[in-house]
Amino acid sequence: MSASPIGPGRPRDPDVDRRIARAALEVFGELGWPGFAMEVVARRAGVGKGTLYLRWTGKETLLADALTHGLAQISDVDTGSLRGDLIELAQQMLDLYVGPASRAALRLTMEASAIPEFAEHYEAMRTAQILASRAIVRRGVNRGELPDDTPVTLLLDTLVGGAMLHALSTPAESRTTLAKGTTGHAERLVDFLLRAVVRT
Amino acid sequence: MSASPIGPGRPRDPDVDRRIARAALEVFGELGWPGFAMEVVARRAGVGKGTLYLRWTGKETLLADALTHGLAQISDVDTGSLRGDLIELAQQMLDLYVGPASRAALRLTMEASAIPEFAEHYEAMRTAQILASRAIVRRGVNRGELPDDTPVTLLLDTLVGGAMLHALSTPAESRTTLAKGTTGHAERLVDFLLRAVVRT
């Protein structure tokens, strides 16, 4: 139990927060928006419905929070080198689509625009991710690591799409092995694609 | 109305078949397996439920048929050259994910293993597609168009994943434009990736 009170003197248990976030992603992944309800998430997390309403005003903000924290944070990627940044980006995608939030992320791709309460938040998330990915490539061009005429969209489509598809098409029984070795696969993927863009 | 009788003297209307297949993909795409029912598909297609039961024994075979005919047929790809085959493969993926069966294809990726009646059929389809894709690359190696040590999985992950992500991340208002120009994008994608694998 955390000792630091948040809100009006109410201490928060980080373990409960984690359980709720995980339950929210699971329920959304399995049932989609039509089945996503505070009560179902509370039951899955093993907490009372009241606990959820102390933290979130409704299911829109609960899902938005769980997704914001549970999905990849591409905006944070800046390792100082193009290869490093691209490996980090590829690894985030592999980790996401091989991990427990995989179904929630796919569901979001399919359903976000059909959830009126959520479409705007999702668009903002997606735009931020696209801008952050493009910034990685632009920094590489500015550092002289890539030619000026690098096809940014093709490079990012093949990197992100290649990582995503690899994770999704890995059979269930091999996922644990891939989950432990995402760095190695991310490196091979990036080195493969860099051969298409870096002049030798 | 087609004049050729199929079955015991019953003429089939190819337009009705197309409407049913399209309705089946739409309903599955929107509602998934839990909402997929003969009655719902019949209503969407504007035919009686009896018409469906004359053709299919149940919703499992109806969906299997609609998916088999509505999704990409990678197994048919053999243009005689590696570049031609890869462009065809990329274009099929772009057409699929930018077209009306896009949601059904995504839904399948997510839900097939959770539909007991359908998991086996889907696994067979997926295996056939993977084998056909790998055969394209192997023929390229045999013709001397690719080096022996070509990383087959990386090439196909980035090609198929790159085409899929490109189509899915195209905003709704630009989809019609992309749908008309999938060949051009498929060519750019393939030429980009070939630079990574073909020794110059």
Side-chain angles (χ1 to χ4, degrees):
Chain A
M1 176 76 90
S2 164
S4 63
I6 293 174
R10 188 176 300 118
R12 284 182 66 153
D13 181 344
D15 186 52
V16 168
D17 287 352
R18 260 196 302 276
R19 255 161 49 211
I20 295 171
R22 188 171 176 132
L25 290 179
E26 279 177 13
V27 170
F28 179 66
E30 286 163 29
L31 307 175
W33 187 246
F36 190 81
M38 298 291 264
E39 195 162 345
V40 181
V41 175
R43 206 179 313 130
R44 180 74 60 101
V47 301
K49 220 167 95 174
T51 309
L52 260 60
Y53 279 106
L54 284 177
R55 290 163 161 86
W56 294 277
T57 51
K59 63 181 199 159
E60 293 80 8
T61 48
L62 167 59
L63 181 60
D65 248 28
L67 289 167
T68 305
H69 296 109
L71 302 186
Q73 298 294 319
I74 295 166
S75 48
D76 298 338
V77 173
D78 191 355
T79 67
S81 82
L82 173 73
R83 183 172 179 273
D85 283 3
L86 292 178
I87 289 171
E88 179 69 27
L89 172 57
Q91 190 173 353
Q92 283 190 2
M93 287 297 139
L94 288 165
D95 287 339
L96 173 60
Y97 284 101
V98 87
S102 167
R103 281 170 71 91
L106 268 182
R107 198 58 85 179
L108 201 59
T109 311
M110 288 189 60
E111 297 182 7
S113 62
I115 309 171
E117 303 88 341
F118 199 68
E120 200 178 325
H121 178 81
Y122 175 69
E123 266 311 297
M125 264 176 68
R126 225 173 62 96
T127 305
Q129 294 213 337
I130 291 169
L131 292 178
S133 309
R134 298 186 83 88
I136 290 175
V137 180
R138 204 175 47 246
R139 288 197 300 269
V141 172
N142 291 343
R143 284 192 210 100
E145 296 171 285
L146 285 176
D148 286 349
D149 62 353
T150 299
V152 183
T153 303
L154 283 174
L155 176 57
L156 291 172
D157 281 349
T158 50
L159 181 79
V160 174
M164 190 177 154
L165 188 69
H166 188 77
L168 292 176
S169 56
T170 298
E173 64 271 21
S174 316
R175 289 209 163 193
T176 319
T177 313
L178 176 61
K180 286 181 208 142
T182 49
T183 311
H185 188 78
E187 286 172 355
R188 284 189 294 278
L189 173 62
V190 168
D191 289 336
F192 172 79
L193 288 173
L194 285 180
R195 286 203 292 275
V197 283
V198 176
R199 285 199 198 102
T200 46
Chain B
M1 178 77 92
S2 165
S4 63
I6 293 173
R10 187 176 300 118
R12 284 183 65 156
D13 181 342
D15 185 51
V16 167
D17 287 354
R18 261 195 303 274
R19 254 162 48 212
I20 295 171
R22 188 172 175 132
L25 291 179
E26 279 177 14
V27 170
F28 179 65
E30 288 164 27
L31 307 175
W33 187 245
F36 191 79
M38 299 292 261
E39 198 163 341
V40 181
V41 175
R43 205 179 313 132
R44 179 74 60 102
V47 300
K49 219 167 96 174
T51 309
L52 259 61
Y53 280 107
L54 284 175
R55 288 162 162 87
W56 295 277
T57 51
K59 62 179 199 162
E60 293 79 8
T61 49
L62 167 59
L63 181 61
D65 249 27
L67 289 168
T68 305
H69 295 108
L71 302 187
Q73 297 295 316
I74 296 167
S75 47
D76 298 338
V77 174
D78 190 356
T79 66
S81 82
L82 172 72
R83 183 172 178 273
D85 284 2
L86 292 179
I87 289 170
E88 178 71 26
L89 173 58
Q91 191 173 353
Q92 283 191 2
M93 286 297 139
L94 286 166
D95 287 340
L96 173 61
Y97 284 103
V98 87
S102 167
R103 281 169 70 91
L106 269 182
R107 218 43 70 213
L108 201 58
T109 312
M110 285 189 62
E111 296 181 6
S113 62
I115 310 171
E117 304 87 341
F118 199 69
E120 202 178 322
H121 179 81
Y122 175 69
E123 265 311 297
M125 265 176 66
R126 224 172 63 95
T127 305
Q129 294 213 338
I130 291 169
L131 291 178
S133 309
R134 299 187 81 88
I136 290 175
V137 180
R138 203 175 48 248
R139 288 197 300 272
V141 172
N142 291 344
R143 285 191 209 99
E145 296 171 284
L146 284 176
D148 287 349
D149 60 354
T150 298
V152 183
T153 303
L154 284 175
L155 176 58
L156 292 172
D157 281 349
T158 50
L159 181 80
V160 174
M164 188 175 154
L165 188 70
H166 187 77
L168 291 176
S169 56
T170 298
E173 64 273 19
S174 315
R175 289 210 164 194
T176 319
T177 313
L178 176 61
K180 287 182 208 143
T182 48
T183 312
H185 188 78
E187 286 172 356
R188 284 189 294 277
L189 173 62
V190 167
D191 289 337
F192 172 79
L193 288 174
L194 285 180
R195 285 205 291 277
V197 283
V198 177
R199 283 196 200 102
T200 45

